[in-house]
Amino acid sequence: MSNRTNGAFLWAWAVLLGTVPMLFGDTAAGMRAFRQKDYPTAYLEWKAAANQGQAEAQYDLGMLYLKGLGVAGDAGEAFRWLRLAAEQGQADAQFQVGLMLEKGVGVRQDYAEAQLWFALAAERGDAEAEAGLGALYEQGHGVQKDLGRAVHWYKLAADQGLPEAQYHLGLLAERGRGVPRDLAQATQWYARAADQGHAPAQSRLGSCYAVGQGVDKDQVKAYFWLTLASKQHDKDAEKQRAELAPKLSPDEVTRTELSAAEWKPKPVQVYNPAAVH
């Protein structure tokens, strides 16, 4: 038996006997550890799998570096792993790479490249990437400003249940930007986002009820939504709520605050084709 064959034979037996560590990471095992908040184990499993080129593990590992879980936070290292996953077509990673480029986190800010990664993820139906494209077109960052395109991308994301996109559609409809001004439509978008617990949308919806914009004037409902937004420390809502309280009876204030304390956001499942496991 040659030295090479003999070495391979002994290595195989050592693996079977458990006397050497396995080199092959297990992405699913990493997720189980992550869900149990055992981040160091998740890191080890995902690192081994990521080194083998597994896109899901590369994405997971990148997010650990980004959040500093199980490993020291390192935005640059996070971007490196996320980009590797993105280049393999992992939509979550494509969105995250675009977001980091947009914000300049772990990499030099580059709106134009961010748009390219958002577009790739959006092609696969990623709602957050669709909303990201909407924001770039609304602001004219990395692309020519185009409110019609902004509405298009926001609408795709909003129809999938993404509250941030619903809120922005409400703002555009309220102001007549990219679409004809439609106050009733605006409040409908605010309501959909507010029902999911989106604080700025709750604040805007409360404002609409307070003055009867797009809805019948109802100061009790206004106080309710402003209270919910205030609980999330929305400054505008806190100010409006304080101004509105004296206009209600003590009983109305008490009942509304009790209702707000018991309120739960609607669980809306946003479609994400590349959700982690």
Side-chain angles (χ1 to χ4, degrees):
M1 183 180 294
S2 69
N3 289 337
R4 177 179 296 178
T5 303
N6 186 52
F9 179 79
L10 292 174
W11 174 260
W13 270 107
V15 169
L16 290 172
L17 292 172
T19 57
V20 297
M22 291 294 290
L23 296 180
F24 302 101
D26 187 331
T27 304
M31 181 54 65
R32 287 193 295 272
F34 181 84
R35 287 170 177 162
Q36 295 169 4
K37 298 186 178 180
D38 182 359
Y39 303 126
T41 297
Y43 168 79
L44 291 174
E45 292 288 354
W46 286 338
K47 182 67 158 59
N51 282 333
Q52 297 172 54
Q54 294 183 27
E56 290 292 345
Q58 290 170 343
Y59 168 76
D60 294 335
L61 183 63
M63 295 305 293
L64 288 183
Y65 274 111
L66 187 62
K67 297 177 183 295
L69 298 174
V71 65
D74 187 330
E77 189 69 0
F79 184 83
R80 185 175 77 84
W81 285 109
L82 289 166
R83 180 152 189 158
L84 287 173
E87 289 171 348
Q88 294 196 66
Q90 214 276 2
D92 279 343
Q94 290 171 337
F95 163 73
Q96 195 63 49
V97 166
L99 186 63
M100 294 177 77
L101 283 161
E102 180 191 16
K103 305 298 183 185
V105 175
V107 65
R108 182 179 59 83
Q109 188 178 52
D110 188 329
Y111 290 121
E113 190 175 354
Q115 186 270 339
L116 295 176
W117 286 109
F118 283 155
L120 287 173
E123 286 176 2
R124 300 185 60 193
D126 186 281
E128 290 181 304
E130 291 167 347
L133 282 174
L136 291 181
Y137 278 109
E138 181 182 3
Q139 298 158 6
H141 288 165
V143 292
Q144 184 174 351
K145 187 173 183 177
D146 188 328
L147 294 177
R149 278 182 172 268
V151 169
H152 167 76
W153 287 112
Y154 280 142
K155 182 69 163 51
L156 289 176
D159 286 343
Q160 294 192 63
L162 192 70
E164 187 69 17
Q166 293 166 347
Y167 169 68
H168 279 284
L169 281 176
L171 290 176
L172 291 172
E174 181 180 355
R175 299 167 183 172
R177 301 179 69 236
V179 291
R181 190 166 188 251
D182 188 331
L183 300 180
Q185 184 67 53
T187 56
Q188 290 174 23
W189 284 119
Y190 292 147
R192 288 179 63 178
D195 280 340
Q196 296 185 68
H198 189 276
Q202 292 172 336
S203 180
R204 285 302 308 143
L205 185 59
S207 298
C208 291
Y209 274 114
V211 299
Q213 178 176 293
V215 290
D216 292 334
K217 185 175 180 178
D218 188 324
Q219 293 187 329
V220 171
K221 287 184 178 179
Y223 190 76
F224 172 78
W225 287 110
L226 292 171
T227 297
L228 289 176
S230 295
K231 290 170 65 176
Q232 299 189 63
H233 310 293
D234 185 288
K235 298 301 181 184
D236 287 338
E238 290 173 357
K239 180 181 178 181
Q240 292 181 71
R241 179 174 177 268
E243 294 172 349
L244 185 58
K247 300 177 183 179
L248 304 178
S249 70
D251 182 59
E252 287 175 326
V253 170
T254 299
R255 286 189 290 105
T256 304
E257 289 181 351
L258 286 173
S259 295
E262 297 172 353
W263 182 86
K264 301 292 182 185
K266 290 184 179 179
V268 178
Q269 183 67 44
V270 176
Y271 172 67
N272 190 331
V276 180
H277 319 298

